Structures are given as structure tokens and as C-alpha cells.
Amino acid sequence: MLHALRFGNVHRAPAPATRPGHFRYQIECRTPNSGSRSIGIVVVPAKDECLLTIVTVMWLDEFERVAGSIIGATDDG
């Protein structure tokens, strides 16, 4: 995660956060100690301070979550 925060890039436009005037950014980066897998980190930077709130961290190459997903679902049930 620290590698991604230091060397990652933001490829998407920021999205509004739950706090007025704040925005969420998704940082994307390939990590060297994971077989070059891509990681995504959603962060909200503070407006007036040098602080960063980490909202979530995820592998970008995994399409399904543990709780389940409709991605790849079939009509068979």
C-alpha cells in the first residue's frame, strides 16, 4: 500500500466524498512484491492539512467480492 501511495497514479476524475467540499481519489499502481498485480486505493485528502484518509484498498484484477457479485452470474441460478 505504501508503494502505491508513493508511486501510483490517479486515472479517473475525483468523486464527491460524504463530507461537503471533500473528494475521493482512486490511486492505481502495480505492486512489486505481489507478482506485479494492480492495486487500487481510495483516499480522501484533507483540505487544509497534510492528512490522507484511506477509505479502502483492493486488488484491481479481482472482479468478485467474498460477499458475492452479479458479475459472471448466469441465468441457471
Side-chain angles (χ1 to χ4, degrees), residues 4-74:
L5 290 173
R6 176 178 268 183
F7 299 107
N9 295 301
V10 176
H11 298 289
R12 301 175 186 180
T18 55
R19 292 182 61 191
H22 289 78
F23 293 90
R24 295 182 315 223
Y25 297 85
Q26 181 171 324
I27 301 169
E28 299 178 9
C29 184
R30 290 190 182 272
T31 53
N33 58 347
S34 65
S36 195
R37 291 180 71 184
S38 294
I39 192 171
I41 304 174
V42 178
V43 298
V44 177
K47 289 175 73 172
D48 301 325
E49 300 178 62
C50 188
L51 297 173
L52 191 68
T53 301
I54 298 172
V55 177
T56 190
V57 180
M58 69 213 121
W59 294 113
L60 295 177
D61 57 354
E62 292 182 3
F63 297 107
E64 294 185 7
R65 300 184 308 210
V66 174
S69 174
I70 61 170
I71 298 173
T74 62

